[in-house]
Amino acid sequence: MDNSSQCATFVRTVNKVLHISTRFLLVSLLSVLIAKGAFAQANPFDLTPRLSAQVGADTLTSVVPVTGNPFDIVPTSPEEQAVEPVLPPPDAGFSSKPVVTIDSRFNRVVFITTVASLLLLTVLITLFRAQLGRAYRAFLNDNLLNQLQREREGGGDLPYYLFYALFMLSAGFFVFLLTEYFEVPVAAAPWRSLLMCVLGIAVFWMGKHLLLTYIRVVFPVEKEVRIYNMTIVVFNLILGIALIIGNGLFAYGPDSLKMPILYLIFAVIAGVYLFMFLRSLFSAGRFLSFHKFHFLLYICTVEIAPVLILVKGLTTS
C-alpha cells in the first residue's frame, strides 16, 4: 500500500507539472503572436516601397507614400536623372602656384625700395654724420657753402657723392610713384619702370653737370661754376632726404590723404629749388649786371629747357 500510494502521488504530481507547463507555453506563445502582429502593424522601421511596379516605356511613375519619414528618398524622372552634374574646371579653387598680380608686384617693389632707401640713409648718416651736418649748414649759409667747396676740392668729396646718389634713387622712386598713381607707367614691369625713372633722373642731372663743365671750360667763370655745381649737390642732398620721408608717406598713406601729401611734396621741391635759384643769382651777381643777355641765355638753355623737355617726354609717354 505504501508503495502504491507513493506511486500514485508521484504520478499526480507529474501530471500537474505537465499541465502547468503546457498552459504556460500556450500563454507565452499567444503573447508572442499578439506582440508580433501589433509590431507588424506599427513598426516605424519598416521599409515601404516608394516606386510602383508599373514602369512604362518612356516614363517612370513614382509613388511616394505619405509616411512622415524625413529620410524618404523621392525618385526623379528619367529626364532629371539623365542630366549630368556640372563639374568645376580642373584649375578652379585653390592652386598650388600663387597668383602674382600687377598690384602684388607693385607693392613688392614699393616695399623693397622704401626699405632699401631707409637702410642706405641710415648707413650714410652713421658713417658720414659730420659731412651731413656741414652740408646742412652750407644749405643755409652761402659762406659755409664756399668753405665746403674748398674742402671738397681737397679730396673729401666721396660722402657728398654717395648722398647725391641716394637723392637720385629717392627722386626716381618719387617719379615712379607718380606714374603709377596717375596710371601712366613708364614700362609694363614695375622693376623696369623704377629703373627707367632712376636712370632718367641720373641722366638729367649728370647731363646738367656736364653742360656746366663745358661752360666752365669755354667761358671765364670757372670759380662760379664750381660753386654752382656744389650748390646743386648740397641742395639735392637735402631734398633727397626729404623725399625719402615723402615717398614713404605717399606710398603707404591712406587714399584720402594722398593728394594733400603730393601737394606738400611738390611745395617742398619748389621751395628748395626756388631757394637754390636765388642763391645762384646772388653768387652770379657780378656777371648779371654786365652780361644780362648771356645770363638769360644760360637760364633758358640750362635751367628751363631741360625741365620742359623732361615734362614733355613724360606727358607724351
Side-chain angles (χ1 to χ4, degrees), residues 66-87:
V66 181
T67 61
N69 189 355
F71 299 101
D72 285 343
I73 300 176
V74 180
T76 58
S77 62
E79 290 79 8
E80 295 177 354
Q81 293 178 356
V83 177
E84 297 182 356
V86 179
L87 299 177

